[in-house]
Amino acid sequence: MNIGTRKILDRSFTAIGFGSIIVMALALMVVVVPILTNGLGAVFFTGTVEHRKLLHEEFQRGDTQDLSSEIASSERYRAKAYAILSDFEAELERMEPEQQGKYSSKYAQVRTSLQSLLGPLPGDSPAMLTRNKYGQTRWEKAEEKLHSFLYESKWDNSNSDVMGKEYFVRRSLDFKGTSLAPLFPYVENNLENMLLPRFTVYWGFLTDSSVDSHFFGGIWPEIQGTFFLAMGAMLFAFPIGVIAAIYFTEYARPGFLNSMLRSANSTLAGVPSIVFGMFGLAFFINTLHVSESKSVLAGSLTLAIMILPTIIRAAEEAILSVPKTYREASLSLGSTKWNTILTVILPAALPGILTGGVISLGRAAGETAPIIFTAAVSVGSAIGLADIFSSPTPALSWNIYNLASEHEAAAEIRHVQYGMVLALVSIVLMLNLSAIVLRARISKKLKG
Amino acid sequence: MATDVRQAPESASAKKSTRDIYLPPERKVVTGGGEAHIVAKNFSIYYGEFEAVKKVNADILSKYVTAIIGPSGCGKSTFLRAINRMNDLIPSCHTSGTLLFDGADIYGKNTDEVLLRKKVGMVFQKPNPFPKSIFDNIAYGPRLHGVSDKKKLMEIIERSLKKAAIWDEVCDRLDKNALGLSGGQQQRLCVARTLAVEPEVLLLDEPTSALDPKATAKIEDLIQELRGSYTIMIVTHNMQQASRVSDSTMFFYEGVLVEHASTAQLFTNPKDPMTEDYITGRFS
Amino acid sequence: MAAERSGESTRSNDFVLSARKRAAQKLITQFGEGVLFVLAAFVAIIVLFIFFFVARDAVPFFQIRGFSEFFTSSNWYPADDPAEFGAFAIIYGSAMVTLGSALIAVPMGVAAAICLSDILPFSIRQYAKPVIEMLAAIPSVAFGFFALVVLAPLMQNSGGALLMWVWWILVSPFLLLTVIVAADLLTNTIQDEKRRQQRYVTLVVLFGVIAIAVLLKVGAVLNGIQIITGTNALNVSIILSFMALPTIVSVSEDALQAVGRDIREGSYALGATRAETIVKTILPAASSGILAAVILGIMRALGETMVVWMASGNSSHVPEPWFNYLEAVRTLTATIAGDMGEADQVTGSARFHVLFAMGLLLLIISFISNLVSERIVVRQRKILTGQ
Ligand SMILES: Nc1ncnc2c1ncn2[C@@H]1O[C@H](COP(=O)(O)OP(=O)(O)O)[C@@H](O)[C@H]1O
Ligand SMILES: [Mg+2]
């Protein structure tokens, strides 16, 4: 090959390497950016008067006077719409049965649509579910609902070769000439006055319980559950892991038994997380009966087993990186081996051990599969500390799955899902980050 | 068994002769010293199959300074570390023959190596203070051996630091991290740390090889100060250093103790031609 | 004199204990070590327990239903009466997404590892490493959520165009390179410099035209593809490859780093370019370590639950044609996660046990892969340290 081509090949080889790293960085961005931007939307958003009404009624928050004046002002605008509705209902009464049939189903659609926008309308029976008690609490959702209030969506299936195409028809066309016709332009033009959107910071998203299976409210039970599970796992795994690491580094003699133990450790590290879940179910719950059924305890134990190999490895590495001279110095002063480990080696290895611990804590917080059968429930309130031995708990990781894949109105509460994902990702990344900072800090301190 | 060893019948006669051989004529005689403190008899050290120290017979006199010289890899460190059983850390290492400390077998069945190390302190080639405060470094040993009273600790620390001639430099920053000291200071701190356990023997393994000349001079002065209070053994590469600080000198070559004599004699009138070659720099 | 000495030596020899005290001391030390050993052996005990308890609930399934249906049939109707437990399509689905993710992650991961160990200057490497660590730290359910909520709709709505763009961006540089190299190789034997130049240019133009035609044609075909469902094997493969990447990169990088400097310098000294050095000397020397990395990365993809559960479509059938990554599939892990809740745990029905059979299958595969990769790493270390 001539040298020019060889050089081109060399350059492109470099480019491939760079390219793959850039692709990885992009992958990270592509995943993290939507989670970040949409997730922040769970706390920072344009809230409507319905949101403030909800906060006041469900959480007793907000100024009563301000709120009632806001409601009064919004009711003033809503009254006109309600009046149009009652006019049309009267007109509907007077119609021929045939015409009545033609309008009434369409009118029912309009009414439902308006209900979801503004909340219960005059003449509705009181709502059973909280989700039906309020109109749209978020302005961007209100705008979506406004669109489906104004337009009816239809599917064009004329060409059977390709998938059907969606298209929209103005509802006002259906009601041309009736007394309902003015409703559409009126709502379109006065929606802001009826909902009073305002920039809102809802920290309660992190500290409130959910209302009506996450239609409203916050994710505190999930955050707390995640905290309990991860901390519980650490409580079991950390001491055992560190002690095992001490054994492997300071006491184990090379040989068959030792290599068996090491193989066991890497085998455990490679077990698929769902198998941990099955084991937790079969062993902790069905055999040991640590609890009646799912519980925080069973989940923590399962997670503990999962993170044990990581902790052992990190601790081992940290202990091995302690200079041999410390050991010699301590022993030459007449210290016993055990005392040397406790007073010299472990303190020096602490940054590494803690780093491994914090990263494992993040892993325990983020894992879902091991807790599906052992600890997680979809709905529920925050549990007390005393209940961890007997009750299951909601947890961020599980509820993200549950809300996104199994919730009856998953598409309606995307903002909650995003908020949960952001909460989980930031907990995990923050733990990782603090591990890095911790490592830097303590090792700096050790260096004097 | 133990009582047998303690009586150590031969050591009395050995003592007589060694005194004559090793006592330094030109140096100040140490009162109360000069007895055989450590005695090696046919003592060998192996790493697995490899015999690193071969059948050494030697008496180390109490309260005097004994230097160990020899080319690198000849077993100096191995021999030194055998005396406080630091070689126990190396799994493949084992010994034969006897090594007596005050007449008791260091490698005896009932010897507690932890108690032994309290009596036989060691300072290593590279300064190795713990990553703790200066105070905690010195207090480490006394605390181990049961001193917890703060005032008593402070006394011990002051005394040790003064003995190690570093008190003036660190007395105002005892709570600072010891790793912030200079290399020479760290090494003297290590000496102080060892002295704080009140050992009888001080083993120094090339204590100045990692230091600059100024710090080296300070350590050498320190050794002179300590002479007469402790039995000191110092491994050194530097023959000037050996002749400056020691009373008697051992020359090792490939694991064999070639010659052991008073320093003055070994350097001026070596008996063995190999010793002569080494000290005149024909090989190293 | 003798009395004085012996008096002194009793004070001085106190490091010699009485035989009884020494024996007691040894006993205590050994007991302590024993306790430590038991705690260290805890991990091994857990591994045994995991095998035992998963197998204990898996064996009844094979006793009731035998092996052949499970491994050969694709009829998965565990809830019907009579129930059918054909898991072939599910095993196939697992294999498919694992392979798909490996196809993406292995070349990228190895290239990134090479880049990190041999190409990037240290200053940039400092920033690249946290990216990898962060990618590794993101919880799987977040990836699953992304796959379901962002990637799936995107594929469904504009999948064809997406595929076309990916094809163009990824493949055009390679085609360009191939054209240049092929032209170079074909004109290599011509001695006369001027004729060689002419031939070279003609060939480049000729091949270039062909390459562009191929690019455009395939691009158009891809653009015409309608992706029926966004939750499909391709979606999952892409996300799983993100998750396998950190493992592959970091383990391969270790393997590459373990290849000494001298090997590299030897190659440069012979006039090889960096790429040639890497491909011809470093990669072969590190190959077994990289293989271990690939195995570990693939295992991560095979064992992953949440992403496949949320975004694979969970449809238990072998796609048609068999390599159609645009169809929904179902995997072992997702089946276990999804069906356990409905399976009757108490009465120990086949429906419950079949899930443990799947778990056992996963466990055995991961166990074997782990052993293999461990052996490989040990062997490479031995070779490199020359033992
Ligand atoms: N841990 C060890 N394992 C095996 N051989 C060793 C070990 N330490 C030292 N040796 C060998 O023992 C011999 C003496 O070493 P050492 O006492 O350190 O020499 P010196 O201190 O005189 O330079 C050398 O040949 C060295 O290779
Ligand atoms: Mg040495």
Side-chain angles (χ1 to χ4, degrees), chain A residues 46 187 205 366:
Chain A
T46 313
V187 171
F205 181 73

Side-chain angles (χ1 to χ4, degrees), chain B residues 73 76-78 125 205-206 235 237:
Chain B
K76 306 183 295 287
S77 300
T78 305
Q125 187 166 356
D205 189 354
E206 304 195 25
V235 168
H237 242 93

Side-chain angles (χ1 to χ4, degrees), chain A residues 324-337 339-340 343-344 347-348 445-448, chain B residues 81 84 86 89 114 117-118 120-122 124 128-132 140 144-145 177 179 193-194 197:
Chain A
K324 224 178 77 192
T325 57
Y326 292 175
R327 206 162 313 203
E328 286 183 333
S330 171
L331 289 175
S332 77
L333 292 171
S335 171
T336 58
K337 187 169 181 178
N339 195 41
T340 301
T343 57
V344 176
K445 203 169 137 207
L446 284 178
K447 284 199 191 100
Chain B
R81 289 162 62 93
N84 71 346
M86 286 310 280
L89 298 186
V114 173
R117 287 180 194 138
K118 182 175 177 304
V120 185
M122 183 155 191
F124 299 85
N128 57 354
F130 300 125
K132 303 176 186 234
Y140 185 82
L144 274 180
H145 303 112
N177 195 318
L179 295 175
R193 182 176 66 184
T194 309
V197 228

Side-chain angles (χ1 to χ4, degrees), chain B residues 80-98:
Chain B
L80 197 74
R81 289 162 62 93
I83 297 171
N84 71 346
R85 290 190 46 173
M86 286 310 280
N87 286 333
D88 288 11
L89 298 186
I90 300 158
S92 69
C93 186
H94 57 104
T95 64
S96 73
T98 38

Side-chain angles (χ1 to χ4, degrees), chain C residues 121-369:
Chain C
F122 180 77
S123 54
I124 301 180
R125 204 185 311 170
Q126 269 179 313
Y127 297 101
K129 280 239 153 186
V131 167
I132 295 163
E133 275 169 22
M134 271 176 46
L135 210 52
I138 291 179
S140 55
V141 72
F143 277 117
F145 180 75
F146 173 82
L148 176 68
V149 172
V150 181
L151 193 53
L154 193 68
M155 278 193 167
Q156 203 158 332
N157 296 333
S158 42
L162 211 65
L163 288 178
M164 180 182 73
W165 280 107
V166 170
W167 162 260
W168 278 354
I169 293 172
L170 284 188
V171 176
S172 29
F174 283 99
L175 274 180
L176 185 70
L177 261 188
T178 321
V179 167
I180 292 173
V181 172
D184 185 289
L185 286 180
L186 286 177
T187 54
N188 228 358
T189 47
I190 300 170
Q191 295 295 328
D192 178 34
E193 183 59 21
K194 212 164 166 198
R195 265 191 59 209
R196 208 186 68 86
Q197 286 279 344
Q198 276 174 355
R199 193 51 109 43
Y200 182 77
V201 170
T202 2
L203 280 179
V204 164
V205 171
L206 182 69
F207 289 153
V209 169
I210 297 173
I212 289 172
V214 169
L215 263 181
L216 291 177
K217 181 71 198 141
V218 176
V221 170
L222 287 175
N223 196 20
I225 291 178
Q226 278 271 346
I227 298 180
I228 309 292
T229 166
T231 51
N232 56 33
L234 179 64
N235 182 337
V236 170
S237 296
I238 292 172
I239 301 293
L240 287 183
S241 73
F242 289 178
M243 301 180 69
L245 263 173
T247 312
I248 296 182
V249 174
S250 60
V251 180
S252 321
E253 201 209 337
D254 286 347
L256 288 166
Q257 293 276 340
V259 178
R261 265 189 93 81
D262 37 349
I263 294 185
R264 297 189 163 107
E265 280 164 3
S267 172
Y268 288 132
L270 293 174
T273 64
R274 185 154 64 184
E276 288 158 350
T277 303
I278 292 169
V279 172
K280 291 196 183 132
T281 49
I282 300 176
L283 278 184
S287 60
S288 50
I290 292 174
L291 186 64
V294 168
I295 294 175
L296 289 178
I298 287 179
M299 281 318 298
R300 178 117 204 254
L302 179 68
E304 174 49 42
T305 309
M306 296 317 291
V307 172
V308 288
W309 194 17
M310 293 171 89
S312 70
N314 289 325
S315 139
S316 165
H317 75 286
V318 177
E320 264 176 67
W322 56 271
F323 53 82
N324 187 354
Y325 270 90
L326 300 176
E327 275 192 39
V329 292
R330 187 186 181 111
T331 68
L332 290 169
T333 50
T335 307
I336 297 172
D339 287 14
M340 188 68 89
E342 287 147 38
D344 188 1
Q345 306 167 16
V346 189
T347 54
S349 62
R351 205 179 159 194
F352 174 69
H353 292 307
V354 70
L355 301 179
F356 277 84
M358 292 177 168
L360 186 63
L361 187 62
L362 283 172
L363 194 55
I364 290 172
I365 296 173
S366 78
F367 177 66
I368 293 173
S369 324

Side-chain angles (χ1 to χ4, degrees), chain A residues 119-447:
Chain A
L121 303 173
D124 282 341
S125 49
M128 297 298 290
L129 290 168
T130 317
R131 70 189 74 160
N132 297 332
K133 276 191 204 155
Y134 301 96
Q136 288 305 316
T137 55
R138 300 167 65 92
W139 180 243
E140 90 275 358
K141 294 232 63 121
E143 283 178 320
E144 271 173 38
K145 294 285 173 192
L146 177 65
H147 186 265
S148 58
F149 169 74
L150 295 174
Y151 299 90
E152 189 180 359
S153 121
K154 294 200 165 162
W155 287 88
D156 170 19
N157 289 322
S158 53
N159 185 348
S160 58
D161 288 344
V162 296
M163 277 193 293
K165 272 207 162 66
E166 194 179 16
Y167 66 101
F168 298 99
V169 183
R170 272 189 174 271
R171 287 184 203 275
S172 55
L173 296 178
D174 294 333
F175 294 95
K176 220 169 188 174
T178 68
S179 57
L180 195 68
L183 179 70
F184 298 99
Y186 179 77
V187 171
E188 188 171 6
N189 294 329
N190 289 294
L191 188 65
E192 268 190 57
N193 293 327
M194 291 192 277
L195 287 176
L196 302 172
R198 188 171 0 116
F199 180 71
T200 307
V201 180
Y202 178 41
W203 289 116
F205 181 73
L206 299 175
T207 54
D208 287 342
S209 307
S210 96
V211 175
D212 191 8
S213 59
H214 285 292
F215 267 92
F216 310 113
I219 57 170
W220 174 245
E222 283 79 13
I223 293 180
Q224 193 207 7
T226 293
F227 178 77
F228 280 168
L229 284 168
M231 283 316 250
M234 271 320 263
L235 225 55
F236 294 112
F238 193 71
I240 294 181
V242 174
I243 291 175
I246 290 174
Y247 177 81
F248 283 132
T249 50
E250 300 288 328
Y251 289 92
R253 279 170 283 271
F256 176 72
L257 195 65
N258 190 38
S259 66
M260 280 296 289
L261 291 185
R262 286 181 172 283
S263 280
N265 203 28
S266 65
T267 304
L268 194 64
V271 170
S273 52
I274 190 77
V275 175
F276 282 114
M278 306 182 86
F279 171 69
L281 171 67
F283 182 61
F284 293 125
I285 297 178
N286 288 352
T287 306
L288 286 188
H289 300 291
V290 297
S291 55
E292 197 74 357
S293 62
K294 292 179 188 180
S295 70
V296 175
L297 179 64
S300 291
L301 287 169
T302 311
L303 288 171
I305 290 176
M306 184 191 74
I307 58 175
L308 196 53
T310 322
I311 294 181
I312 293 180
R313 265 188 208 167
E316 255 187 295
E317 227 165 82
I319 292 175
L320 284 178
S321 70
V322 174
K324 224 178 77 192
T325 57
Y326 292 175
R327 206 162 313 203
E328 286 183 333
S330 171
L331 289 175
S332 77
L333 292 171
S335 171
T336 58
K337 187 169 181 178
W338 183 235
N339 195 41
T340 301
I341 291 170
L342 285 185
T343 57
V344 176
I345 296 176
L346 282 186
L350 199 64
I353 296 177
L354 283 183
T355 309
V358 171
I359 287 172
S360 308
L361 189 66
R363 226 191 122 203
E367 270 293 348
T368 319
I371 61 169
I372 302 174
F373 319 135
T374 55
V377 283
S378 334
V379 284
S381 47
I383 62 166
L385 202 54
D387 296 329
I388 57 171
F389 298 104
S390 53
S391 329
T393 177
L396 283 173
S397 56
W398 165 255
N399 282 65
I400 290 168
Y401 164 78
N402 185 62
L403 291 193
S405 295
E406 290 182 356
H407 195 275
E408 65 264 35
E412 291 290 308
I413 52 166
R414 284 279 180 249
H415 60 280
V416 181
Q417 298 158 15
Y418 271 115
M420 273 191 194
V421 176
L422 180 61
L424 182 62
V425 169
S426 18
I427 289 174
V428 172
L429 289 188
M430 234 128 75
L431 282 174
N432 274 267
L433 206 69
S434 66
I436 293 170
V437 173
L438 190 87
R439 187 165 41 188
R441 270 259 181 98
I442 304 189
S443 68
K444 205 167 163 193
K445 203 169 137 207
L446 284 178
K447 284 199 191 100

Side-chain angles (χ1 to χ4, degrees), chain B residues 8-23:
Chain B
E10 305 96 331
S11 86
S13 61
K15 190 178 69 190
K16 254 285 154 322
S17 55
T18 49
R19 274 190 100 132
D20 298 339
I21 299 170
Y22 303 140
L23 264 192

